[in-house]
Amino acid sequence: MPDFYQHDMITTIHDLRSAKLDNLESMLRESTENHDIGLVLPVTASDMRAEPFDVIVRELAQADYIASIVVSLGVAPDQSDYDETCAKIAPLGDRAKVLWTDGPEVQGLYNELIDSGIDVSVPGKGRSVWTAFGYLLDDPNIETFVLHDCDIVDYDRQLLSRLCLPMVHPGLDFEFCKAYYARVTDRMHGRVVRLLVAPLLRALMQCFPDNQFVRFLGNFRYPLSGEFSLTRNLARTNRVASDWGLEVGTLADVYRNTSHKRVCQVDLARLYEHKHQTLAVDQPSSGLIKMALDILTTIYRTLASQGIVFGESTFVTLRASFLRIAQDCIRQYAADARVNSLNYDRHSEEMAIEAFAQCVTQAGEIFAADPSGNPSIPNWTRVRAAFPDFTSRLRDTV
């Protein structure tokens, strides 16, 4: 049965299996005659050499409605990494450029900002995305910025077209579009969303029933998806988190900088597969535990900035509520998996929520010790106010 459910704060655009790729791309070509799209592809050297990236490039070669493509290359210290990336995207023509964030020219620009008090010292996906936005902002014709990951195993142009169309169609008026999808193979994936974020948001609603930001986050079916599109104005005014809090931090700035009526989420595909992180409780600086801590502290700091007061007892109550709700979720997931003939390891799921419950209070301790944490990268409005020619110099380096 088709799903028509709409949440109360944002619009949900479903995949009802009625739209054909040819029709979607035809609408996109017509809609982008006077409305250019810039696509940001953050990629590491290792992901650039993996098969999914080659598939993405082949598909993008036929996406002629994209005016500019920026491959933001990070974790790539060698010149050979840059050269190989340039060779791989050559089929995309002059509209595609490699922004080598580890290259000497871009590093020199980073150092200039750091010396002036603008902290861009933390490498990672957040800085790569932020830098690519700056590059695109120097082109006054680009009105919509689109971002998706480069480790998508089952990528096709349908995914890209559905992410772009809500932002550029003249009959729609959205300013931000977030992707959602099912992370399923022979089992359920997306553990951080299923076993941490979803029950956490319900627990936060119990603790802070009147908080509109928590309610806003709860409207997203997959709040940690790495795919979204936004207007030029939001790309300029949003700050960017430099850690695993990137996706939640982006939603926090969207909540702050635009009306929820201008926000939508779009179903990209029935199934979506990319690489998975490990869950190692004894390694808090890596894998899913590191991701969980970054997400939790980002949420806590965002709520604190809205006037929410956290005490030690708050985190004890939040953990107890989270654990009870997460245990109920496992019962629901087990039933869902059984009826859909999926493998489901209930024991490992229980161990995961116990680990995430520890993260709820551990992140509270991190927040109490350092309420500000690592600051988000300042928005491009501030950078261009301090250095009016910075984006043009960034474009020159590329």
Side-chain angles (χ1 to χ4, degrees):
M1 178 179 177
D3 176 8
F4 301 109
Y5 182 77
Q6 292 289 340
H7 295 267
D8 61 336
M9 292 185 74
I10 67 173
T11 298
T12 299
I13 300 174
H14 306 89
D15 183 2
L16 302 178
R17 296 289 184 267
S18 56
K20 304 300 183 183
L21 178 60
D22 290 346
N23 185 43
L24 291 173
E25 292 189 328
S26 177
M27 286 192 288
L28 279 165
R29 292 186 186 99
E30 184 177 348
S31 300
T32 55
E33 288 180 359
N34 299 299
H35 186 129
D36 285 355
I37 298 175
L39 175 62
V40 174
L41 301 175
V43 67
T44 64
S46 61
D47 283 344
M48 176 269 295
R49 294 185 173 96
E51 183 180 357
F53 186 72
D54 295 332
V55 174
I56 289 171
V57 171
R58 286 198 299 271
E59 289 288 307
L60 289 179
Q62 302 177 65
D64 54 2
Y65 52 86
I66 302 293
S68 182
I69 300 172
V70 187
V71 178
S72 196
L73 179 64
V75 197
D78 299 327
Q79 177 73 36
S80 60
D81 299 325
Y82 171 74
D83 293 340
E84 187 174 347
T85 307
C86 290
K88 284 204 168 192
I89 69 166
L92 300 178
D94 291 339
R95 63 182 175 140
K97 303 294 182 184
V98 178
L99 199 166
W100 186 21
T101 61
D102 291 327
E105 294 87 355
V106 176
Q107 286 293 315
L109 292 175
Y110 287 156
N111 290 333
E112 183 178 342
L113 293 178
I114 293 168
D115 291 342
S116 68
I118 297 175
D119 188 4
V120 292
S121 60
V122 181
K125 179 182 175 182
R127 190 176 70 173
S128 293
V129 171
W130 177 86
T131 309
F133 281 0
Y135 172 88
L136 292 175
L137 283 169
D138 194 58
D139 183 344
N141 295 317
I142 295 178
E143 296 294 336
T144 294
F145 293 52
V146 180
L147 168 74
H148 70 62
D149 289 334
C150 289
D151 59 350
I152 306 171
V153 174
D154 48 359
Y155 183 87
D156 59 34
R157 297 198 315 282
Q158 184 99 2
L159 179 153
L160 178 63
S161 64
R162 294 182 64 82
L163 189 60
C164 292
L165 190 58
M167 295 296 299
V168 301
H169 194 284
L172 303 175
D173 59 356
F174 296 111
E175 296 182 0
F176 180 82
C177 178
K178 181 79 164 174
Y180 75 92
Y181 32 69
R183 296 280 314 281
V184 181
T185 54
D186 63 338
R187 67 199 67 226
M188 295 179 181
H189 299 292
R191 288 167 292 176
V192 176
V193 171
R194 290 191 299 107
L195 303 178
L196 172 64
V197 176
L200 175 74
L201 292 177
R202 296 178 197 172
L204 285 169
M205 283 298 295
Q206 288 186 347
C207 295
F208 310 108
D210 297 325
N211 187 272
Q212 294 300 297
F213 174 63
V214 174
R215 180 179 159 208
F216 177 74
L217 288 182
N219 273 235
F220 290 93
R221 293 195 174 190
Y222 206 93
L224 301 187
S225 70
E227 292 72 31
F228 61 83
S229 50
L230 72 173
T231 62
R232 180 184 186 88
N233 183 55
L234 285 180
R236 183 176 61 246
T237 58
N238 280 9
R239 299 166 303 162
V240 176
S242 57
D243 55 19
W244 284 109
L246 170 63
E247 281 76 23
V248 173
T250 297
L251 293 179
D253 265 29
V254 168
Y255 175 79
R256 179 183 181 187
N257 293 328
T258 193
S259 167
H260 62 81
K261 294 180 181 179
R262 300 288 182 260
V263 177
C264 70
Q265 59 183 339
V266 60
D267 188 356
L268 291 193
R270 188 177 69 86
L271 300 178
Y272 178 102
E273 174 66 3
H274 69 154
K275 67 182 182 182
H276 308 286
Q277 300 288 332
T278 59
L279 176 59
V281 179
D282 58 342
Q283 298 178 16
S285 61
S286 64
L288 293 186
I289 297 300
K290 168 63 174 171
M291 185 187 300
L293 292 172
D294 286 350
I295 291 166
L296 287 162
T297 52
T298 298
I299 292 175
Y300 295 163
R301 287 168 179 142
T302 301
L303 291 173
S305 72
Q306 298 172 1
I308 297 295
V309 178
F310 288 99
E312 184 177 348
S313 60
T314 306
F315 296 112
V316 173
T317 301
L318 183 60
R319 173 176 172 161
S321 179
F322 163 82
L323 195 55
R324 178 62 179 270
I325 294 170
Q327 289 167 344
D328 290 341
C329 287
I330 283 182
R331 181 182 61 83
Q332 295 168 335
Y333 296 141
D336 209 357
R338 178 63 61 87
V339 174
N340 285 284
S341 300
L342 299 176
N343 296 325
Y344 191 76
D345 186 343
R346 187 161 184 162
H347 175 62
S348 66
E349 297 265 292
E350 294 276 4
M351 291 181 64
I353 64 167
E354 291 169 3
F356 289 147
Q358 293 179 18
C359 290
V360 170
T361 48
Q362 186 179 349
E365 295 169 359
I366 295 171
F367 165 75
D370 185 9
S372 298
N374 292 328
S376 295
I377 302 173
N379 62 31
W380 277 104
T381 300
R382 175 183 170 185
V383 174
R384 296 171 95 178
F387 300 95
D389 65 340
F390 191 89
T391 55
S392 62
R393 287 192 286 135
L394 174 60
R395 180 172 283 268
D396 289 342
T397 66
V398 179

